[in-house]
Amino acid sequence: MSQRVTTNTVAKMKAAGDKITCLTAYDAGFAQVLDQAGIDAILIGDSLGMVVQGHESTLPVTLDDMCYHSRCVARGSQRALLIADLPFMSYQESPEQALRSAGALMKQGRAHMVKLEGGELMAPTVEFLVARGIPVCGHIGLTPQSVHQFGGYRVQGRDADGAEQLKVGALALQQAGAAMIVLEAIPRALARSVTESLTIPTIGIGAGPECDGQVLVLQDMLGIYGTPPKFTRDFTQGTSGIQAAVDAYLQAVKSGEFPASEHCYD
Ligand code: KIV
């Protein structure tokens, strides 16, 4: 078994210009497939509310759901960095609430890092968690827990104010001690500029190839969930099975071939 990927590993990968590969998983079986392919990070995303539980959004997902799926993934993984999502309303109330929830994800869910949505407003919470030994991944842009506020799943940061808010948010999260930031569904040029302004890695999903790494929802890249978003690719096309599709994804991200221009927003 090769050594576990840690927050230090991904920091070094950014510095060396090595692309960071990440996919979601929600159970031990798929975690093992991703791990054996050599993926750098597995995200136990609250997207499980949609692709596993069949809800219309991520909002109904509970902390117990996240702990359960995170624990399942942990049983199947020996190598990848495990990042678990803090679900809707498990951290927005106060830093103390976020600490209790993050603690549960790490103790019961065996996650190595927690992810939370939001920019500048969440910076004090990130600082509170990091000071208490919890590695945090930020998530800005199209933050799915805010779908009703956005009026749908819409690309963010297209106007000057929105772009500025995202830049300020990214810097505030870094300043607060976040170890990584997911950039979701934002214009490619904005993602490039945010990535260049940070010392911590950015992981893009619909944010273009200049991010330090890429993440996709597993069901999207296997072509087995609803209408695929513009930013994804069905990696089963032309491959001979799930392991081969995951290998193809890793290879495409590492070489910079994915995402291509048709997966990006202006
Ligand atoms: O929940 C999730 O899968 C996510 C990714 C879309 C980044 O947050």
Side-chain angles (χ1 to χ4, degrees):
M1 181 196 38
S2 49
Q3 266 193 328
R4 182 70 84 173
V5 177
T6 67
T7 51
N8 293 340
T9 321
V10 290
K12 282 186 195 147
M13 288 176 78
K14 170 159 180 139
D18 292 339
K19 294 285 185 194
I20 300 160
T21 53
C22 182
L23 284 169
T24 66
Y26 316 100
D27 62 34
F30 275 115
Q32 194 172 14
V33 169
L34 303 189
D35 226 60
Q36 285 175 356
I39 199 143
D40 298 310
I42 296 177
L43 172 65
I44 303 97
D46 60 356
S47 50
L48 69 86
M50 299 167 83
V51 300
V52 176
Q53 298 175 333
H55 295 296
E56 280 183 3
S57 75
T58 59
L59 273 58
V61 177
T62 67
L63 185 60
D64 283 347
D65 294 336
M66 292 307 304
C67 286
Y68 169 77
H69 286 281
S70 183
R71 202 159 58 239
C72 292
V73 166
R75 287 191 204 109
S77 162
Q78 313 230 301
R79 181 184 173 274
L81 175 68
L82 302 183
I83 308 165
D85 265 339
L86 282 162
F88 184 58
M89 287 303 137
S90 73
Y91 60 98
Q92 288 92 342
E93 192 180 309
S94 65
E96 287 78 7
Q97 183 207 24
L99 183 65
R100 279 192 298 278
S101 302
L105 284 179
M106 293 183 77
K107 282 170 79 86
Q108 297 162 35
R110 296 175 50 202
H112 308 136
M113 179 186 273
V114 302
K115 178 164 82 57
L116 55 77
E117 298 183 6
E120 202 177 6
L121 185 74
M122 293 315 298
T125 298
V126 172
E127 194 169 356
F128 191 82
L129 296 181
V130 172
R132 286 157 182 80
I134 312 254
V136 179
C137 178
H139 182 164
I140 57 176
L142 198 184
T143 43
Q145 291 174 14
S146 302
V147 59
H148 297 306
Q149 201 166 41
F150 294 149
Y153 294 99
R154 296 170 187 279
V155 179
Q156 300 295 305
R158 273 189 161 143
D159 59 22
D161 282 355
E164 186 54 26
Q165 208 184 328
L166 284 174
K167 287 182 185 174
V168 168
L171 283 171
L173 291 171
Q174 173 174 277
Q175 182 76 25
M180 220 183 221
I181 303 183
V182 168
L183 305 179
E184 179 165 354
I186 64 172
R188 174 178 178 171
L190 175 60
R192 180 173 54 230
S193 146
V194 168
T195 299
E196 286 170 1
S197 73
L198 299 178
T199 54
I200 57 171
T202 60
I203 307 295
I205 173 164
E210 287 87 9
C211 294
D212 299 304
Q214 299 292 329
V215 59
L216 285 177
V217 169
L218 185 67
Q219 278 76 354
D220 284 344
M221 63 78 71
L222 294 178
I224 54 172
Y225 179 75
T227 312
K230 171 186 164 83
F231 52 71
T232 193
R233 178 193 287 173
D234 179 354
F235 280 88
T236 62
Q237 298 293 315
T239 52
S240 57
I242 289 174
Q243 188 81 57
V246 172
D247 289 344
Y249 169 75
L250 263 57
Q251 173 75 30
V253 171
K254 290 281 182 200
S255 69
E257 188 256 310
F258 178 83
S261 52
E262 69 264 28
H263 307 114
C264 299
Y265 299 104
D266 300 321

